[in-house]
Amino acid sequence: MTLDSVQHTSAAPARRAAPPSPAVGDAASPERLRTLIDRRRRWTALESPFYSDPAIFAHDITGIFDRHWFFAASVAEIPEPGDFVTIDVGSRSIILIRDDDGGVNALRNVCRHRGARVLTEPSGSVGNLVCAYHSWTYGRDGSLIHAAAAGADFDPGCFGLRKVHSMTVAGLVFLCLAPEPPADFAAVAEIFAPFVEPHDIPRTKVAFQQEIVEEGNWKLVMENNRECYHCDGHPELACSYFTTWGLEEHEVPEHQIDTWHRSVLADHELRDRCERYGIPWQVYDAPDSREAGIRMGRDALDGDGESFSATGRRLSEKLLGDLPDFRLGDGSLHLQPNSWFHLLADHVITFAAFPMSENRTLVRTTWLVADDAVDEVDYRAEDLTHVWRQTNIQDAGFVGLTQRGVTDPGYVPGPYTPTEHQVEAFVNWYTMRMQEYIR
């Protein structure tokens, strides 16, 4: 891994202690949360309050997203100095902005005057960051550069935008809101950076971005992603994606046994090709055995085996980076708590789930192609995005169905099947992190 592939920006020490978080009521007591976690049985779904209680949602934000690294965006979304995106998690908002030197700054989107949101658009480009309320003006590094009529004794150096820890790994930007970030993520970044680097995300551009507000708790969104038990419900994806993904032979339904055998042969051929080119393909499976949970591996695609299309053929004529071959399958990367990625030879797809409330989650999907690829010449955005746009809509429906069910008084948590081992791993990771939080 090159030194440039991982860039870590730390938040400056706070000049004043942050005020305590407001209480959310007795229903949110750590004792109640501890009781619910302690009685959860392995390989069994969570109880209804984990998906429907605003008090537990508040604990999720504080216990997971305020304490652990999470995926925010790719550098391709902010290619030029002054380009920004805003990342919202619960009531928190963070600005990611490209600096003049090409770095990425992460700043709390809260004016240091009276707390107004500084940037209100989800993305854009600015010279300086100007609060619309009283025109306090900040540089791209967050420093306060103008505050009219602030008084003779006012020290602007004490009132810059608060910084957030950020880490850029092979073109993917991660954030941590904790004062002292957990250390395990840096070690995990060393593991997945070589897996991502061949796709050269810093030399890609955004071909399309889809945002869906799913009517479900963020954990249901993640659980749905972590299994293919439901993949018969994704007909477009099933054209190129082996729907027996993650299954052992004894777990494969009879009607899919031919698909499973075809996938085994394709995986062997893919691994031979990756070995020949020096492309990482090995599975690394630690979704709940590390604080920074991760699973990655490279899987063959059906049909022509090049991309997510009806025939498995490539969707862009431009290879990413210096990749030598279009038939390099699907590099799948899962990172707890909120992201998953598909890395192909012709494009990359990033997925991020951002909790909005106990029953609403923003899912942002971004398709990246080579920065010199031309729409309608090298690729067609409609074709490039078709499979996963449809799959995301279908998944949103499944999540909504489940959200409605888990809030029904008749809901009783059911058992996971052996094929849902990654769902169990995600829920186990979540409960372990929450146990640490309420300890």
Side-chain angles (χ1 to χ4, degrees):
M1 180 179 61
T2 62
L3 292 176
D4 290 340
S5 69
V6 179
Q7 301 169 359
H8 187 185
T9 304
S10 296
R15 295 178 180 268
R16 297 174 183 163
S21 299
V24 289
D26 292 341
S29 68
E31 290 74 19
R32 176 173 178 265
L33 179 59
R34 186 179 295 111
T35 298
L36 288 168
I37 289 175
D38 287 348
R39 73 188 188 198
R40 189 253 166 176
R41 292 179 297 160
R42 293 292 305 269
W43 289 89
T44 303
L46 294 169
E47 294 182 60
S48 178
F50 284 103
Y51 304 116
S52 60
D53 190 329
I56 290 183
F57 175 77
H59 277 306
D60 281 1
I61 298 299
T62 305
I64 299 295
F65 288 90
D66 278 356
R67 290 163 60 94
H68 297 279
W69 291 94
F70 61 90
F71 173 66
S74 71
V75 295
E77 295 171 58
I78 45 174
E80 300 295 334
D83 289 350
F84 73 88
V85 295
T86 53
I87 306 298
D88 295 336
V89 176
S91 61
R92 291 92 168 120
S93 184
I94 304 97
I95 299 166
L96 289 184
I97 186 165
R98 181 77 80 157
D99 210 341
D100 290 334
D101 63 3
V104 176
N105 291 324
L107 309 165
R108 292 274 190 172
N109 191 13
V110 181
C111 183
R112 293 297 305 279
H113 176 216
R114 284 169 55 189
R117 283 281 182 258
V118 179
L119 297 180
T120 58
E121 296 297 322
S123 63
S125 186
V126 294
N128 294 315
L129 291 77
V130 182
C131 177
Y133 197 0
H134 299 98
S135 298
W136 280 37
T137 303
Y138 304 88
R140 294 170 187 168
D141 62 352
S143 59
L144 180 63
I145 57 179
H146 175 73
D153 296 331
F154 179 75
D155 181 1
C158 295
F159 293 95
L161 295 178
R162 294 175 62 195
K163 294 187 177 181
V164 171
H165 296 283
S166 68
M167 187 182 296
T168 301
V169 185
L172 303 174
V173 184
F174 299 85
L175 300 177
C176 185
L177 304 181
E180 294 294 333
D184 189 46
F185 185 77
V188 167
E190 296 278 350
I191 294 168
F192 73 78
F195 188 77
V196 177
E197 284 170 342
H199 300 266
D200 205 358
I201 288 173
R203 286 200 292 144
T204 64
K205 68 177 183 179
V206 175
F208 190 79
Q209 189 168 78
Q210 176 196 49
E211 292 192 343
I212 296 179
V213 175
E214 299 196 10
E215 301 296 324
N217 185 272
W218 72 277
K219 295 186 293 295
L220 291 180
V221 173
M222 297 308 299
E223 291 172 30
N224 175 76
N225 167 258
R226 296 317 200 220
E227 50 95 352
C228 210
Y229 189 31
H230 70 284
C231 280
D232 279 350
H234 294 315
E236 293 84 3
L237 185 61
C239 292
S240 58
Y241 201 61
F242 289 107
T243 53
T244 54
W245 177 82
L247 303 184
E248 300 294 334
E249 185 172 13
H250 68 276
E251 298 170 333
V252 178
E254 184 62 32
H255 72 282
Q256 289 192 317
I257 196 67
D258 288 343
T259 300
W260 186 83
H261 285 298
R262 195 166 66 251
S263 73
V264 171
L265 178 61
D267 275 332
H268 284 306
E269 293 174 348
L270 172 64
R271 290 172 187 179
D272 288 344
R273 190 175 301 108
C274 288
E275 292 282 357
R276 185 163 65 250
Y277 295 135
I279 303 295
W281 60 266
Q282 292 86 350
V283 172
Y284 185 89
D285 194 21
D288 57 350
S289 59
R290 303 195 65 130
E291 185 176 16
I294 175 176
R295 186 191 188 280
M296 68 182 192
R298 194 171 292 275
D299 300 292
L301 294 172
D302 208 351
D304 284 356
E306 294 180 341
S307 201
F308 290 122
S309 64
T311 63
R313 192 184 183 281
R314 70 196 67 165
L315 290 165
S316 173
E317 294 297 327
K318 294 280 189 177
L319 284 163
L320 298 183
D322 296 320
L323 291 174
D325 195 322
F326 283 99
R327 295 191 65 206
L328 295 177
D330 170 31
S332 176
L333 172 63
H334 293 176
L335 294 171
Q336 317 293 31
N338 78 317
S339 59
W340 60 101
F341 309 84
H342 291 291
L343 307 153
L344 300 103
D346 65 337
H347 71 287
V348 166
I349 318 174
T350 72
F351 302 79
F354 298 115
M356 301 173 68
S357 68
E358 71 277 7
N359 55 15
R360 301 178 81 227
T361 305
L362 173 66
V363 177
R364 180 175 294 144
T365 306
T366 308
W367 286 259
L368 307 176
V369 295
D371 58 6
D372 60 348
V374 179
D375 190 14
E376 300 295 337
V377 177
D378 299 305
Y379 69 96
R380 293 185 67 251
E382 178 72 22
D383 295 339
L384 178 79
T385 62
H386 175 72
V387 167
W388 277 102
R389 278 189 296 112
Q390 296 305 116
T391 299
N392 287 344
I393 292 168
Q394 293 152 6
D395 279 334
F398 294 141
V399 169
L401 284 174
T402 309
Q403 182 70 32
R404 293 197 292 275
V406 297
T407 58
D408 190 307
Y411 168 68
V412 177
Y416 297 138
T417 68
T419 65
E420 295 169 294
H421 54 92
Q422 290 198 50
V423 180
E424 164 61 22
F426 169 76
V427 172
N428 192 45
W429 179 89
Y430 164 78
T431 55
M432 287 193 295
R433 301 292 80 80
M434 294 301 281
Q435 284 171 333
E436 295 166 355
Y437 157 64
I438 61 177
R439 182 179 295 161

